Each structure stands twice: as C-alpha cells, then as structure tokens.
Amino acid sequence: MPDLGGLWSDLTDLVLPAGCAGCGGRAAGARRGFCPGCAGELESLCPAPTRPSPAPPDLPPCVALGPYAGALREGLLAYKERGRHGLARPLGALLAEVVAVAVGPARPVALVPVPDTAPAARARYGDHLDRLAGHAAARLRGAGWPVRVLRPLRALPRPDSVELDSAGRAAAAGSAFRLRRVGAPPPVVGDTAVVVLDDIVTTGVTLAAVSRILHAAGMTPNAAAVLAATQKRRHR
C-alpha cells in the first residue's frame, strides 16, 4: 500500500465506546473504531485492480482496497448503516491509498464521489461518500497531491436493486444521475486525473453510468477507486 503517512493513527486514535467496528469486540485498544487486530487487517490490504465479469460498457479501470469481507465489510456497514460517522476519517484515509494506486505518480486529481439520493443522505445524516471524499482529499493533500473534490452530479430516486435483475439494475443506474448544471464548461484541465469514488463495486453499473455522464460533460474519468469489491456468487 502507498505510504501517505499516519494511517495507523487514523485507525486507532479517539476512543469510541461502541466497540470495534470490525469484530464487535470491546478489547483494550479499540479506539477510532477498530481494535488493533482489525486495524492491522485493514492496514495489510493492498489496493489492486478489480473488474466485475461481465463488465458493463464504459466502466473505467477500477481499483479496490480489498474484498467485501472481514473487518472492511463490517466497518463499511457500521459506517453506512449503524451511524458510526467517526469512521469516515479512517475509511477516507484508506480510500486515499486506493486513489494513489489508481492514479500512479502524484499529479493533480479531481475526485468525484457517487452521490447519495436525498432520502439516503437524510437517513445517514449526510452524504456518506462525500464525507469519505473529503477525508481522502485531505490525506492526499497532506502528502503533496493537488486534489479537488467535485460534485457535478445529483442522484435521482431509483427502485431497490434487490428487486431487479441484472438488466433492470443497469437500466436503473443509467437513469439515476443528472448533471447539476447543464452546459457548464468542464472543470478539469490539463493532466488532471478524474477519479470516480464509491464504497463498493458489485456489477459496476453505477460506476459505468456515472462515467458516461461525466464523459459527455467533458470530464472523462481516468479511473474509479472503491474500498471493497464483492465476489460474484456462482449458482450451481
């Protein structure tokens, strides 16, 4: 994993009384939400390319911190669904490591988080990806990277993907986002790398849909960076 500095302290400072977000334990040393064992598990993950099969058209090269399992899975669930907002800082720091691998040598970067729908943001007391993007950007800036967080998209209501087949999920994702301002000039120039951020990649249809809209607006993504990649289940 790239060394952006201070990751261990992000994972293991600030006492939280709710126990470890990774394993649920309350052992001594569980501080920023992860016990030493789970913090070590997260710190040992190495960002690597990932691609769903089949990959949807327009999916940019994607890098994930690790599989959607173990301490990473439980930490994401605690952050998104159980109100553990203090996990935004350590998870954002991990996401910064993924961005660094996705981009390569340091260069100007524009981070574009996949937006929450308004109801989801209200339920989570704020857009969860936007919080992660802010912490990721701060970590990268601290390492000397010129980074901006762009929010050119808004999310529209869509049906629960659990009720849809693969074609239905692709169609729903394709109509789920809009540009905030139609006809605005592209906000990125020169050698700036545009990186789409999400927490989890499963089929890739959301990242592909966002990438198509950004491409049409003159902001073609160079890569996508995610924290976790699900493993496709094979039906026997």
Side-chain angles (χ1 to χ4, degrees), residues 4 14 26 29 57 62 72 135 143 223-224 227 236:
L4 299 184
L14 183 62
R26 295 177 179 268
C62 186
L72 182 57
H135 286 291
L227 285 169
R236 296 175 181 265

Side-chain angles (χ1 to χ4, degrees), residues 5-13 32 35-40 43 139:
L7 180 57
W8 179 259
S9 64
D10 278 316
L11 291 167
T12 59
D13 69 354
R32 173 70 73 174
C35 69
C38 288
E43 203 172 31
R139 170 53 59 89

Side-chain angles (χ1 to χ4, degrees), residues 20-211:
C20 175
C23 66
R26 295 177 179 268
R31 305 183 72 180
R32 173 70 73 174
F34 294 100
C35 69
C38 288
E41 178 184 329
L42 292 171
E43 203 172 31
S44 70
L45 295 173
C46 295
T50 186
R51 201 155 188 86
S53 180
D58 304 310
L59 179 67
C62 186
V63 175
L65 178 66
Y68 186 53
L72 182 57
R73 176 183 184 275
E74 294 306 314
L76 280 169
L77 287 172
Y79 170 60
K80 289 176 61 177
E81 310 299 342
R82 299 169 192 152
R84 298 285 294 270
H85 297 155
L87 298 174
R89 180 178 170 184
L91 291 175
L94 291 168
L95 189 56
E97 306 281 346
V98 183
V99 172
V101 169
V103 173
R107 58 191 281 201
V109 176
L111 302 178
V112 181
V114 173
D116 268 338
T117 62
R122 285 194 297 269
R124 294 168 176 158
Y125 298 95
D127 188 306
H128 77 289
L129 247 300
D130 195 57
R131 280 194 295 259
L132 293 184
H135 286 291
R139 170 53 59 89
L140 289 163
R141 290 188 197 109
W145 291 55
V147 178
R148 290 183 295 160
V149 179
L150 303 181
R151 302 169 182 86
L153 304 175
R154 62 187 180 92
L156 305 178
R158 51 180 156 170
D160 189 339
S161 62
V162 174
E163 306 296 329
L164 303 174
D165 59 16
S166 57
R169 286 193 294 271
S175 60
F177 304 99
R178 291 288 185 274
L179 285 174
R180 291 186 180 277
R181 291 185 300 157
V182 177
V188 293
V189 295
D191 66 342
T192 299
V194 178
V195 182
V196 181
L197 304 181
D198 208 349
D199 50 0
I200 304 166
V201 60
T202 301
T203 63
V205 295
T206 296
L207 290 171
V210 167
S211 296

